[in-house]
Amino acid sequence: MKNKLFRLLFIVSGCILSAQKADNSFHGYYKSDNSETLYDGFSFEGNGKVLIADMNYGDYFTRNDSLIVYPDKSIFIFKIKKDKLIGLSNWVKKGSWTHQKDASETGKFYDSIKAKKKAELLAEYYDQTKTSSKSGLDLDALVSGKINDINEKLCGKGLAKACMNLFGLKMMEYTPDLLTDPGKIASKKLKPHPELILLSERIIELGEPEGYTVLGSYYYALGLKKKAFKTWDEGEKHGSLKSPQAKASVEIQEELDREDEKK
């Protein structure tokens, strides 16, 4: 009888924990405790955005004692243990990070309703795309288009990350030779596809400045250099970290190409 009661309580408690809702009010700066990780710190803004090692922003949500971070096309999974983050997934597995109480808090609660909605949508994305792989993310499914329907649905609901995924997939679909021979694209003088323009506008409307970055990259691939740089400049003005990186990368490559031509 006692064993049956214990099992029942265990099942009930498990159901309660699994039913806890996703949240992204988690905030503060967490610094690495060791040198075995690529990431020296994470600054959680309390609105679903995290600055990763002062380099790029990612999206995140918490549920129970788990913290899920999407830096881009990968995933970081942590366990929250008091004032520490314990890395569980591939890229953060050997690391631990401690909350810096002396550091200024970064909780930017711009809109609690929007923040809550974003956490719920990101959790829905995680639940529908997670795999048993060590990375926790099925990149093959993402690239092959197997989860297009998930991205379509969640983009429609207002998840910028899903819209970003769609943009990448649609860009490959509408831009022949993008992966095989990108040098040929400009010579084809393709016009920007209306669906991609609308999709980039949707991303920006959802508060994601990297919408400018992907649009600028698309313009550049088509050979529209002036439009690309103008778009990246706009992205930088709106807080994008990747737009200036894209500009710098292009400028460096073009300089290298000029040097090669002189030889």
Side-chain angles (χ1 to χ4, degrees):
M1 184 67 180
K2 287 183 179 180
N3 288 336
K4 289 183 179 180
L5 181 59
F6 177 79
R7 285 197 296 270
L8 178 61
L9 290 173
F10 181 79
I11 292 170
V12 171
S13 63
C15 291
I16 292 172
L17 286 173
S18 63
Q20 287 184 6
K21 292 183 179 180
D23 185 62
N24 59 22
S25 60
F26 184 82
H27 64 281
Y29 178 70
Y30 285 76
K31 184 175 177 58
S32 175
D33 296 330
N34 55 54
S35 59
E36 294 185 30
T37 176
L38 296 170
Y39 310 99
D40 59 356
F42 295 92
S43 185
F44 297 90
E45 297 189 348
N47 60 355
K49 279 293 180 184
V50 52
L51 180 59
I52 302 169
D54 292 324
M55 294 187 294
N56 286 312
Y57 277 99
D59 299 300
Y60 74 93
F61 73 93
T62 61
R63 187 163 55 191
N64 302 334
D65 62 349
S66 295
L67 168 65
I68 310 297
V69 175
Y70 284 99
D72 191 4
K73 297 296 185 292
S74 186
I75 187 172
F76 300 157
I77 301 175
F78 304 88
K79 180 179 180 180
I80 304 170
K81 193 173 182 180
K82 294 183 179 179
D83 64 342
K84 284 186 178 292
L85 299 179
I86 309 299
L88 300 179
S89 58
N90 270 5
W91 292 101
V92 293
K93 195 169 186 179
K94 293 184 178 180
S96 66
W97 293 259
T98 300
H99 181 233
Q100 301 299 297
K101 294 181 180 178
D102 294 332
S104 59
E105 293 294 339
T106 54
K108 300 177 182 178
F109 297 94
Y110 299 125
D111 189 319
S112 59
I113 296 176
K114 288 183 179 179
K116 181 181 178 183
K117 179 182 178 183
K118 179 178 178 180
E120 292 172 348
L121 290 176
L122 196 59
E124 185 177 346
Y125 175 86
Y126 171 74
D127 289 337
Q128 294 186 36
T129 60
K130 65 182 178 182
T131 71
S132 58
S133 68
K134 291 182 179 180
S135 68
L137 191 65
D138 191 344
L139 290 175
D140 290 336
L142 178 63
V143 173
S144 68
K146 291 179 181 178
I147 58 172
N148 275 17
D149 289 345
I150 296 172
N151 285 317
E152 290 273 8
K153 180 181 70 174
L154 292 178
C155 178
K157 286 185 176 182
L159 182 62
K161 175 175 176 53
C163 297
M164 291 278 286
N165 289 346
L166 271 181
F167 190 98
L169 294 167
K170 296 287 186 181
M171 185 175 169
M172 287 189 288
E173 179 184 344
Y174 297 139
T175 316
D177 303 317
L178 183 64
L179 296 179
T180 56
D181 195 352
K184 286 185 177 180
I185 297 174
S187 64
K188 294 183 176 182
K189 296 184 179 181
L190 299 172
K191 292 183 178 180
H193 199 286
E195 187 176 352
L196 286 175
I197 302 300
L198 289 173
L199 194 51
S200 67
E201 291 174 354
R202 170 69 169 160
I203 295 168
I204 293 166
E205 285 172 3
L206 290 172
E208 178 52 77
E210 300 309 339
Y212 292 103
T213 307
V214 294
L215 179 59
S217 298
Y218 177 51
Y219 283 147
Y220 189 80
L222 296 180
L224 304 173
K225 182 179 175 181
K226 287 185 178 180
K227 269 193 170 186
F229 273 78
K230 184 178 180 181
T231 304
W232 285 330
D233 285 338
E234 196 67 21
E236 189 171 3
K237 288 178 185 177
H238 286 82
S240 165
L241 295 181
K242 292 183 180 179
S243 282
Q245 291 172 7
K247 282 197 304 179
S249 177
V250 166
E251 289 168 345
I252 291 171
Q253 186 58 53
E254 289 183 347
E255 181 61 31
L256 290 173
D257 291 341
R258 284 192 290 268
E259 290 296 324
D260 287 341
E261 290 175 1
K262 292 177 182 179
K263 294 178 181 179

